[in-house]
Amino acid sequence: MTRTVFCKKFQRELDGLDKPPYPGPKGQDIFENVSKKAWEEWHAHQTMLINEKHLSMMDPASRKFLQAEMEKFLSGEDYEKAEGYVPPSE
């Protein structure tokens, strides 16, 4: 049976993650409050930010930037977008 969570990004019940994505309290918070759909969308957005902004995961400032953007994205706040990106129409 699929577990559901009240997703803080979409503000509704959706399928939850299978396991915490990180160790510790941050991973547990994401596991309990973020849907699988929101997490997958964050991964796609994170990849776009890394590529468009030429971020290096070896750079602590880049990791800190992505962490802050993840918080904003998953909370439904205004977040950094890649310049010139136009999302595909559905």
Side-chain angles (χ1 to χ4, degrees):
M1 185 165 126
T2 306
R3 76 181 260 289
T4 61
V5 297
F6 186 80
C7 181
K8 64 183 182 180
K9 177 165 180 61
F10 294 111
Q11 295 296 303
R12 60 188 167 117
E13 287 284 329
L14 292 167
D15 289 347
L17 295 168
D18 296 328
K19 61 182 181 177
Y22 297 126
K26 174 47 79 187
Q28 192 62 34
D29 179 55
I30 292 170
F31 181 68
E32 293 172 1
N33 299 297
V34 174
S35 67
K36 189 179 287 191
K37 178 182 180 196
W39 189 249
E40 288 169 357
E41 286 184 14
W42 163 247
H43 265 264
H45 186 71
Q46 173 182 255
T47 300
M48 186 171 46
L49 286 176
I50 291 168
N51 291 335
E52 293 294 322
K53 297 191 175 291
H54 307 287
L55 302 177
S56 168
M57 295 301 89
M58 297 298 287
D59 176 25
S62 292
R63 291 195 310 267
K64 186 174 181 179
F65 168 78
L66 280 177
Q67 180 75 26
E69 292 307 308
M70 178 184 75
E71 292 289 334
K72 292 178 199 174
F73 183 90
L74 296 176
S75 295
E77 298 174 26
D78 192 30
Y79 55 89
E80 186 77 24
K81 295 166 182 75
E83 296 166 22
Y85 174 72
V86 177
S89 58
E90 294 183 34

